[in-house]
Amino acid sequence: MSERVQTWLLGKTTGLQHLVNEKLAKRSGMIGRFFTTFQMGKREYSAHTFHRAFAVVNYFWMQTFHLYGVMRPIGSRFLGLGNGPLNYSALYGFIFVTAMIVARTKFDKGRDQYTFNAQDGVEFWFERYNMMFPPNYLHTRLSAHYIEINNIFFCEMVKKYMVARKEIIADRERSPVEERMTKYITNPNYIYEPLANEAAAIVEMKHKGDF
């Protein structure tokens, strides 16, 4: 603080100075050691640095505002009528600060949307929060009406499946061996080499259904 302020404070606090300096600071024990650090008097070494530090801080603040006022906007080449050069220093600062903000963003479970209806199962939430939920928490109960409809639908689809399966088997039996072995190949360079004819005993067992 300045010399004028220090003199004014010391002149107005004589009673407080006497209490701290003469009564409390000179006591023995913990009280004396504590108030020794609060003894008041005229500064003996040099002027206080508060005003100088405040002047330095004020200088940097004013320089910062001055820089903001004169620096070119980041996209000045693309925005406005100035058509000036790119402000590479501002671009670097903008990208650097943006990267710092993005780096603090936590991308957790980013691929959950690719798991169809995974949130409807208890296993998903157990893995996410590492805790078990009661079975009725997710309301996964099924009605008897839904179970009955699902059973009827399953039976009808099985009937259609059996018809289609028999047609496919019959078509395969009518096809020659080479077509059966090469119908679904994906390698265009595959060369089919037929096996030797089966023995008569094997053919007879196949007709009887024993092979």
Side-chain angles (χ1 to χ4, degrees):
M1 65 184 66
S2 64
E3 185 75 19
R4 181 183 302 176
V5 175
Q6 183 181 160
T7 303
W8 183 85
L9 287 176
L10 292 176
K12 298 296 183 180
T13 58
T14 54
L16 181 61
Q17 295 176 49
H18 179 75
L19 175 64
V20 174
N21 298 343
E22 302 297 333
K23 300 294 184 180
L24 299 176
K26 292 184 178 181
R27 293 185 60 175
S28 60
M30 184 181 297
I31 297 178
R33 292 195 299 271
F34 178 77
F35 281 98
T36 300
T37 59
F38 294 98
Q39 287 181 319
M40 291 177 283
K42 189 175 181 59
R43 191 174 183 87
E44 299 177 353
Y45 297 99
S46 61
H48 205 282
T49 59
F50 176 77
H51 290 283
R52 296 181 180 178
F54 184 77
V56 173
V57 172
N58 181 71
Y59 168 79
F60 280 106
W61 270 110
M62 296 305 296
Q63 290 297 319
T64 302
F65 291 139
H66 173 72
L67 178 63
Y68 286 163
V70 300
M71 68 185 300
R72 190 181 301 277
I74 295 177
S76 59
R77 172 174 289 185
F78 311 105
L79 303 176
L81 303 176
N83 196 22
L86 286 176
N87 187 357
Y88 293 102
S89 58
L91 278 174
Y92 173 76
F94 177 79
I95 295 173
F96 183 78
V97 174
T98 304
M100 292 177 60
I101 297 174
V102 174
R104 298 296 300 172
T105 305
K106 183 180 181 182
F107 296 94
D108 189 19
K109 304 290 184 180
R111 299 180 63 86
D112 286 347
Q113 63 270 24
Y114 299 113
T115 306
F116 181 70
N117 287 342
Q119 292 87 347
D120 295 338
V122 181
E123 295 82 3
F124 173 86
W125 298 105
F126 175 74
E127 182 182 358
R128 168 67 68 86
Y129 298 108
N130 196 22
M131 61 182 297
M132 184 58 70
F133 292 87
N136 61 343
Y137 179 78
L138 300 175
H139 304 287
T140 55
R141 293 165 291 184
L142 299 178
S143 64
H145 183 65
Y146 175 81
I147 296 175
E148 183 179 1
I149 294 176
N150 189 47
N151 185 36
I152 296 174
F153 177 80
F154 171 76
C155 294
E156 295 298 326
M157 291 299 104
V158 168
K159 293 178 182 178
K160 294 184 178 182
Y161 164 76
M162 295 302 296
V163 174
R165 181 175 182 274
K166 291 180 180 179
E167 292 178 356
I168 294 174
I169 292 177
D171 180 69
R172 180 177 175 81
E173 292 295 334
R174 291 192 299 267
S175 302
V177 178
E178 182 178 357
E179 182 180 352
R180 276 186 270 171
M181 301 298 293
T182 60
K183 187 174 183 179
Y184 300 105
I185 61 173
T186 58
N187 185 7
N189 300 320
Y190 176 77
I191 299 176
Y192 171 72
E193 295 183 1
L195 299 175
N197 295 330
E198 295 178 341
I202 300 296
V203 175
E204 183 179 357
M205 292 176 65
K206 283 186 175 182
H207 284 297
K208 293 181 180 180
D210 297 333
F211 184 79

